[in-house]
Amino acid sequence: MIADLKQDGFHISLWQLPYFVPQNSLFRRSREGLAVKDGKGNLPYEDAVLDFTNPAAVAWYQEKIAGLLRMGVGAIKVDFGRPLR
């Protein structure tokens, strides 16, 4: 579908919710040092967000979205709405 839309002249932009809640299978990544910590250095217990100042988190994220970019997605917009519970 992405290839067809791109061929028809569409530019594909996806919206991404940036939060990882405990029910999300990716939430465990927050326990591996890839999430933003609070002022005391603690990891979140809910609503983890990737720490893009951490090169390991950036590399992990780039690996996750690489396939979408290869398919022709031109942009991924972050939606800072309320996290899904």
Side-chain angles (χ1 to χ4, degrees), residues 21-23 46-47 82-85:
V21 296
Q23 296 82 4
E46 287 189 2
D47 302 344
R82 293 175 51 157
L84 301 174
R85 301 236 187 257

Side-chain angles (χ1 to χ4, degrees), residues 12 17 25 42:
I12 309 300
L17 190 67
S25 64
N42 297 316

Side-chain angles (χ1 to χ4, degrees), residues 9-11 14 21-22 29-30 34-35 44-45 47-48 52 58-59 65 71 75 77 79 81-82:
F10 288 91
H11 298 274
L14 302 177
V21 296
R29 301 308 294 214
S30 69
L34 301 183
Y45 60 91
D47 302 344
F52 285 103
V58 172
I65 66 167
M71 279 190 248
K77 178 201 178 303
D79 180 356
R82 293 175 51 157

Side-chain angles (χ1 to χ4, degrees), residues 9-75:
F10 288 91
H11 298 274
I12 309 300
S13 175
L14 302 177
W15 284 37
Q16 174 187 7
L17 190 67
Y19 308 105
F20 296 98
V21 296
Q23 296 82 4
N24 184 315
S25 64
L26 299 175
F27 183 78
R28 67 180 178 81
R29 301 308 294 214
S30 69
R31 302 291 177 229
E32 297 173 13
L34 301 183
V36 174
K37 297 177 182 174
D38 67 16
K40 296 180 181 180
N42 297 316
L43 291 171
Y45 60 91
E46 287 189 2
D47 302 344
V49 178
L50 285 178
D51 179 359
F52 285 103
T53 66
N54 178 344
V58 172
W60 179 81
Y61 180 74
Q62 288 173 331
E63 179 184 313
K64 290 294 181 193
I65 66 167
L68 294 170
L69 299 177
R70 281 192 296 273
M71 279 190 248
V73 170

